[in-house]
Amino acid sequence: MNVIPRDQHCISRTHISDSALKVMSRLRGQGHQAYLVGGAVRDLLLGGHPKDFDIATDATPEEVHQLFRNSRIIGRRFRIVHVRFGREIIEVTTFRGHHDNGEADARANSGNHSRQSASGMLLRDNVYGTLEEDAVRRDLTVNALYYDAGTFEVYDHVHGLEDLEKRHICIIGDPQVRFREDPVRMLRAVRFAAKLDFGIDSDTAAAIPECAHLLRDIPAARLFDEFLKLFLSGYAAATLEQLLRHDLLQFLFPETSELLLEDEHYLALVRAAMANTDERIAQDKPVTPAFLLAALLWPVASRLASQLEARGEPPMPAMHSAAQQTIAEAVQFVSIPRRFSQPMREIWEFQLRLKKRQGKKAAELLEHRRFRAAYDFLLLREQAGEETDGLGDFWTQYQHLAPQDRHRQPERDGPRRRRRPRRRRSNKSE
Ligand code: ATP
Ligand code: MG
């Protein structure tokens, strides 16, 4: 174990949340070990501001829970304790130990601790251990650094610091074994490579194509959680490129993944949606998974709708069934809660309604709660090179008309004929 004293690293307690310091100090006061670990140590060493603070301890979840009234034990596959301070949640994890297959399987149904599937996937991981054991059970070397807020030392058991300096994403241990235990680690590897702008170690990268198919065994609900982290953390554009480079998008959105290869407009649309989301997050504007999902699944839905129209279905019913089918297929891979699939669908259907430029109808659309998102989506399609007959410009100008002038707006007016350079979205966005 490499111990880095306080004067040889840049972590300062002042950058650590008071709540996290409180939790660690209480645990230490009770004779336990407690360290800051994971993303917080990584981001502090990189000079950034961690978004949350995870703590590792030798206290069991029950012991932790007893020490903090404001806590609860969560998880089954992986039991941890959440300690709540107002809106902030400190995640406290008990050191994980080695899991021995045979023995663990024998205990599988008796309050057991660890369980693996035939492919080597860890179904449960609740065997507790020491700090050293915990370090090698983590996913990436740069995520396995520990900070002791009592001694101010950093503990490094897996060359995490070296990889931080080399800007390297490297899985701990044998990549194939570790990806088999938990295929989501492949998505985590590309996510952190994108977020930190790090390269992926060649052995780690080489194991991805070998193990990628195992992502099919991951429950759709867990992939939805991962989807949120991949695309709503402010690095969606870079993450998309990593997913494409490592051919992993197909395990999240299989049909989209194929269509992106076939049609560069679709790729441009999805890229634009990602860039747009990152920009909004950077500006502290709200983002919704519904909009991003609308973009990611638009290639599938719009192609299906055109096929149905070609078979004689009127546009709106065609879009309606296309949306239904697209969602039904997509949720087999990444589950989409109704609170997101419903607005997503409305954004799509609105694309047809936006074609109606007549005065009264148009004025009504403007009042609709989905107008903003649908209009943004229309601009995105145009930005990706889709020909919409000047519809974006029409709506941009229409919004700026005084209400009494809106119903007078003739169906086809100036904007269509005047060829203007492509506009950026109006900055009245929010
Ligand atoms: P961030 O919170 O910035 O996204 P993080 O590194 O803190 O990054 P979390 O998902 O919060 O990521 O996980 C906390 C830590 O738990 C990680 O740093 C890693 O050490 C460990 N970890 C998380 N998921 C896994 C996994 N699937 N396999 C092994 N270790 C994991
Ligand atoms: Mg974290």
Side-chain angles (χ1 to χ4, degrees):
M1 173 82 70
N2 192 5
V3 181
I4 299 105
R6 69 187 297 183
D7 56 353
Q8 283 171 40
H9 62 74
C10 64
I11 297 183
S12 149
R13 276 173 60 118
T14 54
H15 296 133
I16 301 172
S17 110
D18 286 340
S19 319
L21 290 172
K22 233 182 267 172
V23 171
M24 289 189 282
S25 138
R26 168 91 64 94
L27 283 163
R28 284 200 312 272
Q30 294 295 313
H32 293 293
Q33 299 177 55
Y35 306 95
L36 195 64
V37 69
V41 183
R42 178 196 69 218
D43 293 346
L44 287 168
L45 285 167
L46 290 171
H49 298 280
K51 66 175 171 51
D52 52 33
F53 293 87
D54 300 321
I55 288 169
T57 179
D58 61 351
T60 63
E62 289 73 18
E63 287 170 328
V64 177
H65 177 52
Q66 272 168 15
L67 279 177
F68 300 96
R69 262 193 317 140
N70 48 333
S71 72
R72 58 194 193 108
I73 300 179
I74 61 153
R76 199 174 118 85
R77 203 180 62 85
F78 198 89
R79 301 176 78 222
I80 58 177
V81 182
H82 275 177
V83 188
R84 181 181 281 278
F85 296 86
R87 293 182 60 191
E88 189 181 13
I89 289 178
I90 303 295
E91 215 168 86
V92 185
T93 311
T94 305
F95 294 150
R96 257 48 184 184
H98 295 298
H99 38 80
D100 165 339
N101 298 347
E103 199 194 328
D105 277 345
R107 289 186 309 212
N109 297 314
S110 52
N112 123 49
H113 312 281
S114 152
R115 203 146 70 91
Q116 268 176 317
S117 74
S119 69
M121 179 147 59
L122 270 180
L123 302 175
R124 269 188 221 176
D125 189 3
N126 290 316
V127 173
Y128 305 130
T130 62
L131 188 150
E132 285 83 357
E133 287 170 337
D134 188 71
V136 298
R137 300 280 314 115
R138 290 185 177 268
D139 55 353
L140 309 173
T141 58
V142 294
N143 283 349
L145 292 158
Y146 299 72
Y147 175 71
D148 184 331
T151 63
F152 310 103
E153 289 165 333
V154 170
Y155 295 84
D156 180 6
H157 194 54
V158 293
H159 303 289
L161 265 182
E162 196 182 310
D163 285 340
L164 264 188
E165 274 157 24
K166 288 199 292 195
R167 303 179 69 78
H168 233 180
I169 291 300
C170 185
I171 192 112
I172 298 167
D174 178 336
Q176 292 230 11
V177 173
R178 301 307 309 288
F179 286 156
R180 257 193 212 119
E181 280 175 2
D182 183 5
V184 170
R185 288 175 186 149
M186 290 178 269
L187 297 175
R188 291 178 58 88
V190 300
R191 172 157 70 86
F192 289 115
K195 171 179 167 170
L196 305 171
D197 193 18
F198 277 23
I200 301 184
D201 163 77
S202 56
D203 287 344
T204 300
I208 294 180
E210 309 264 341
C211 302
H213 66 279
L214 297 168
L215 281 164
R216 294 212 183 88
D217 299 334
I218 302 298
R222 185 162 177 225
L223 287 184
F224 178 71
D225 291 342
E226 204 52 38
F227 157 80
L228 295 178
K229 293 186 191 171
L230 286 163
F231 296 118
L232 288 163
S233 305
Y235 305 89
T239 303
L240 175 73
E241 299 311 318
Q242 285 282 357
L243 289 172
L244 292 174
R245 186 172 316 148
H246 295 278
D247 212 6
L248 289 173
L249 191 68
Q250 56 169 319
F251 300 100
L252 297 166
F253 301 97
E255 290 191 81
T256 302
S257 167
E258 261 177 48
L259 290 172
L260 294 191
L261 294 177
E262 279 172 26
D263 188 333
E264 62 183 26
H265 282 131
Y266 288 145
L267 182 57
L269 175 86
V270 173
R271 278 187 168 139
M274 302 295 166
N276 192 283
T277 304
D278 291 345
E279 206 175 300
R280 290 182 66 94
I281 291 175
Q283 295 168 358
D284 262 338
K285 288 184 184 171
V287 287
T288 160
F291 188 81
L292 212 51
L293 285 163
L296 273 163
L297 292 170
W298 174 254
V300 186
S302 71
R303 197 189 55 154
L304 204 54
S306 320
Q307 287 168 351
L308 293 173
E309 275 191 58
R311 279 189 238 141
E313 278 218 47
M316 199 46 110
M319 180 52 89
H320 195 81
S321 342
Q324 193 130 341
Q325 198 176 322
T326 300
I327 295 168
E329 279 165 21
V331 296
Q332 293 175 33
F333 300 88
V334 173
S335 67
I336 307 176
R338 273 189 71 83
R339 66 181 185 282
F340 300 128
S341 62
Q342 192 50 35
M344 169 172 93
R345 211 185 179 119
E346 285 171 24
I347 290 172
W348 289 342
E349 292 178 3
F350 227 105
Q351 300 308 301
L352 299 180
R353 295 166 74 184
L354 286 174
K355 288 184 181 169
K356 300 228 157 61
R357 308 182 202 215
Q358 294 98 325
K360 195 155 182 280
K361 267 275 191 306
E364 280 169 17
L365 290 186
L366 213 51
E367 301 305 318
H368 195 284
R369 70 192 167 114
R370 214 56 79 195
F371 175 81
R372 189 83 241 167
Y375 163 72
D376 283 347
F377 196 78
L378 171 66
L379 295 191
L380 210 62
R381 288 169 51 208
E382 292 188 345
Q383 202 183 325
E386 200 176 320
E387 180 47 63
T388 65
D389 200 13
L391 210 50
D393 269 352
F394 169 84
W395 284 104
T396 304
Q397 298 197 352
Y398 190 83
Q399 291 171 75
H400 296 127
L401 292 177
Q404 67 273 19
D405 295 334
R406 285 184 189 146
H407 70 279
R408 281 198 232 118
Q409 181 79 355
E411 184 182 352
R412 294 243 149 131
D413 207 347
R416 190 178 75 98
R417 267 171 270 128
R418 261 186 277 144
R419 296 236 67 88
R420 297 161 152 260
R422 208 185 288 147
R423 292 178 142 249
R424 284 184 57 78
R425 44 194 290 159
S426 109
N427 39 14
K428 280 188 75 184
S429 294
E430 217 58 85

